[in-house]
Amino acid sequence: ILGLAAELSFLKIWLTNKNQNIIDWVGPEQQPQDFIYADNSKAYEIKITSWDPEVIHVSSLKQLDFDGELKLVVYPGKISDETQPNACNLGLLIEEVKKICSQDDYFILLNKLLLVGYKEIDCMDTFFEIHDPIAFDVNDDFPRLTPGMVDSSIIKCNYKISILRLDQFKAQL
């Protein structure tokens, strides 16, 4: 739920601030990054962390491997009580996205939600808080593992990166 909440939070930025198309939210389609510009020049990998972020969980060798410009966007989040002032649930977040979508884009959104297994009934009672994102430029010096760095017999890898050691990579969204 929190991972989808982070992607939907970024989707609002993608559609409004970046003026991009909902079609380019490719995370639900099992792409290595969550958002990729149509011309493949830029990509964004979206992550959720604890409320006081210390580590970023990377779940594949390909997530931080992209030929163009790649940004890692980290949303601190936590499960919350619905009475908290900033509490939200997936239904409310989807309604916010719906307000900035065209009718056609809303149908695309619904299809993508189906791809990730979203069921409104399962998420109505789960409330959370998502804090402002922290962005990082993923460049050649960024600490990461990619397929080109490891032996080809290693086909799956999960690892953690310390956020506390990434100040030099902080970037604007």
Side-chain angles (χ1 to χ4, degrees), residues 73-127:
V73 180
V74 179
Y75 282 89
K78 66 180 177 179
I79 299 295
S80 180
D81 186 83
E82 69 180 297
T83 60
Q84 294 299 313
N86 295 320
C88 190
N89 66 18
L90 285 177
L92 294 170
L93 197 49
I94 290 166
E95 282 301 312
E96 289 177 18
V97 174
K98 180 181 178 181
K99 290 177 186 175
I100 57 176
C101 283
S102 68
Q103 185 72 17
D104 290 342
D105 281 351
Y106 182 64
F107 288 122
I108 293 169
L109 172 67
L110 293 177
N111 284 325
K112 289 181 182 275
L113 290 171
L114 286 173
L115 285 173
V116 297
Y118 169 74
K119 294 178 187 167
E120 184 177 4
I121 194 74
D122 295 338
C123 303
M124 287 178 13
D125 295 330
T126 302
F127 286 81

Side-chain angles (χ1 to χ4, degrees), residues 158-172:
N158 296 307
Y159 60 98
K160 298 176 185 178
I161 301 172
S162 171
I163 288 180
L164 303 174
R165 298 182 181 181
L166 297 179
D167 279 346
Q168 71 191 55
F169 301 102
K170 281 189 178 175
Q172 296 295 318

Side-chain angles (χ1 to χ4, degrees), residues 49 62 65 67 70 72 84 95-96 108 115 137 148 160:
T49 65
K62 294 182 179 178
D65 187 26
D67 286 337
L70 176 61
L72 175 63
Q84 294 299 313
E95 282 301 312
E96 289 177 18
I108 293 169
L115 285 173
D137 285 324
K160 298 176 185 178

Side-chain angles (χ1 to χ4, degrees), residues 127-140:
F127 286 81
F128 50 81
E129 294 176 59
I130 301 287
H131 203 282
D132 293 334
I134 307 162
F136 301 96
D137 285 324
V138 179
N139 57 33
D140 291 341

